[in-house]
């Protein structure tokens, strides 16, 4: 797997990682073209090749080692982080880092890791943190693969979830039951205007897969996640994890469709 090719094939403009596109693709390809016009083919493909997920994890750990040239390897750090993120990985010790990595490798590999070790009381009396402690922490990082791939949310939709959340929580940080609760809340928030539910023409972008009846049926099915009464709790228990995953992903499709119809000119 070529990490550059993987990024080009999967990246979407509404993803956080798209902010690195110029450095990862545009500038890289311009520099490579200039080099090859003077010196011939640049054989750097092997620097971006990985065999499997295990090798990607090893590559990530190598890039954050104390002896690594952080400035030189900034792009590789973002590319391998994107690969791991898209394949459903999180790091237990730093659960947010693969979803929204630092813009500069040094900020994570030096500042964040060093700060964690200081919190653990592992610095020297003069405040220095030994290389050995940083290397030990890196070697023990736990990479966990989710059973379901991460949900890509439009940044504006993510902000809408935060706005309606009583805890101002980001969607990806919520547990499944809370995600379904906030999906139900957001659909209502988007459609309920002046006491009446809007009925946009879903067929403009969703063909006949989503219509007003689909929305009503879906809202009714997940209504139990909005209430704490005994009957609602019993209804929640009847859902399997796989069914919840389906409802969450389908809910995001519904919300994205409503967002595109009511909040943008993309339809």
């Amino acid at each position: 797997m070529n990490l550059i090719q993987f990024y080009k094939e999967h990246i979407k403009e509404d993803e956080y990682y798209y902010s690195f596109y110029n450095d990862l693709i545009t500038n890289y390809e311009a520099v490579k073209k200039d080099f090859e016009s003077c010196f011939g083919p640049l054989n750097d493909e092997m620097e971006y090749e990985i065999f499997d997920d295990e090798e990607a994890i090893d590559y990530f750990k190598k890039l954050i080692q104390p002896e690594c040239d952080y400035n030189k390897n900034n792009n590789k750090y973002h590319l391998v982080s994107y690969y791991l993120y898209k394949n459903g990985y999180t790091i237990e010790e730093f659960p947010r880092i693969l979803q929204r990595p630092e813009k500069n490798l040094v900020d994570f590999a030096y500042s964040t890791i060093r700060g964690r070790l200081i919190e653990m009381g592992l610095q020297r009396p003069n405040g220095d943190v030994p290389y050995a402690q940083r290397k030990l922490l890196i070697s023990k990082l736990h990479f966990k693969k989710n059973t379901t791939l991460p949900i890509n949310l439009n940044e504006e939709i993510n902000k809408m979830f935060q706005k309606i959340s009583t805890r101002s929580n980001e969607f990806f940080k919520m547990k499944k039951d809370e995600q379904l609760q906030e999906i139900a809340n957001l659909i209502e928030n988007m459609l309920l205007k002046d006491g009446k539910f809007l009925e946009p023409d879903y067929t403009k972008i969703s063909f006949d897969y989503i219509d007003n009846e689909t929305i009503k049926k879906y809202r009714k099915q997940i209504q139990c996640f909005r209430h704490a009464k005994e009957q609602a709790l019993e209804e929640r228990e009847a859902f399997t994890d796989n069914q919840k995953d389906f409802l969450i992903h389908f809910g995001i499709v519904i919300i994205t469709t409503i967002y595109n119809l009511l909040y943008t000119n993309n339809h």
Side-chain angles (χ1 to χ4, degrees):
M1 171 64 66
N2 183 283
L3 293 173
I4 293 177
Q5 195 62 33
F6 181 87
Y7 177 86
K8 289 173 68 174
E9 290 176 357
H10 292 83
I11 192 63
K12 295 180 176 62
E13 290 188 13
D14 61 358
E15 286 185 290
Y16 172 77
Y17 276 89
Y18 190 78
S19 63
F20 305 126
Y21 190 92
N22 281 342
D23 288 332
L24 298 182
I25 305 300
T26 307
N27 295 342
Y28 167 79
E29 290 183 345
V31 169
K32 184 175 182 179
K33 183 178 180 180
D34 288 344
F35 179 94
E36 292 180 341
S37 67
C38 297
F39 304 105
L42 176 61
N43 297 316
D44 66 341
E45 286 83 1
M46 290 301 296
E47 295 184 38
Y48 299 97
E49 296 285 340
I50 57 168
F51 178 71
D52 56 14
D53 291 4
E54 184 176 347
E55 189 169 317
I57 291 170
D58 290 340
Y59 191 40
F60 180 92
K61 289 183 177 182
K62 178 181 178 181
L63 293 173
I64 62 175
Q65 291 293 337
E67 63 272 16
C68 183
D69 185 337
Y70 298 142
N71 292 326
K72 181 180 177 181
N73 290 290
N74 207 55
N75 287 355
K76 295 174 184 175
Y77 164 66
H78 287 135
L79 286 168
V80 73
S81 295
Y82 183 69
Y83 173 85
L84 291 169
Y85 163 69
K86 291 297 283 187
N87 281 279
Y89 283 94
T90 56
I91 302 174
E92 288 186 11
E93 292 80 2
F94 303 97
R96 186 170 168 76
I97 199 63
L98 292 180
Q99 181 176 29
R100 295 183 71 90
E102 307 281 7
K103 294 186 182 297
N104 297 301
L105 171 56
V106 66
D107 292 332
F108 174 63
Y110 176 75
S111 302
T112 302
I113 288 179
R114 185 175 178 275
R116 176 63 59 88
L117 290 166
I118 290 174
E119 289 177 3
M120 296 166 65
L122 297 174
Q123 77 272 31
R124 293 186 177 124
N126 64 358
D128 290 343
V129 175
Y131 268 27
Q133 292 293 348
R134 288 166 61 188
K135 293 173 76 70
L136 181 62
L137 175 61
I138 291 168
S139 70
K140 291 186 175 181
L141 291 177
H142 294 90
F143 287 74
K144 181 180 179 182
K145 186 165 187 175
N146 301 324
T147 54
T148 56
L149 296 181
I151 298 171
N152 292 322
L153 281 182
N154 176 296
E155 194 66 27
E156 291 304 313
I157 293 176
N158 195 38
K159 290 178 182 177
M160 293 170 80
F161 272 119
Q162 281 188 271
K163 185 177 180 180
I164 66 169
S165 170
T166 56
R167 301 188 295 128
S168 297
N169 204 10
E170 293 183 75
F171 187 79
F172 83 96
K173 291 183 179 179
M174 301 175 186
K175 294 184 177 179
K176 293 179 182 180
D177 284 15
E178 186 180 2
Q179 286 180 331
L180 287 166
Q181 171 189 313
E182 297 304 348
I183 286 172
N185 289 336
L186 185 53
I187 290 175
E188 181 172 304
N189 181 270
M190 297 170 83
L191 292 179
L192 185 59
K193 304 298 178 185
D194 299 323
K196 295 182 179 181
F197 276 91
L198 301 177
E199 296 187 352
D201 184 2
Y202 297 103
T203 60
K204 285 183 178 180
I205 57 177
S206 68
F207 304 98
D208 292 318
Y209 293 108
I210 298 175
D211 57 23
N212 289 305
E213 290 306 312
T214 304
I215 306 297
K216 290 177 184 177
K217 181 179 179 181
Y218 178 80
R219 290 182 61 241
K220 182 178 180 180
Q221 190 162 32
I222 64 170
Q223 191 70 8
C224 60
F225 292 95
R226 302 179 70 187
H227 304 291
K229 294 181 179 178
E230 192 64 33
Q231 182 179 349
L233 296 176
E234 290 177 1
E235 288 180 35
R236 291 186 208 175
E237 291 296 322
F239 290 98
T240 66
D241 271 353
N242 286 336
Q243 288 174 328
K244 288 180 182 179
D245 288 338
F246 171 80
L247 290 170
I248 290 167
H249 283 82
F250 188 53
I252 294 303
V253 171
I254 290 173
I255 284 173
T256 302
T257 302
I258 296 171
Y259 177 84
N260 287 332
L261 286 170
L262 300 182
Y263 295 82
T264 74
N265 295 317
N266 295 334
H267 57 282

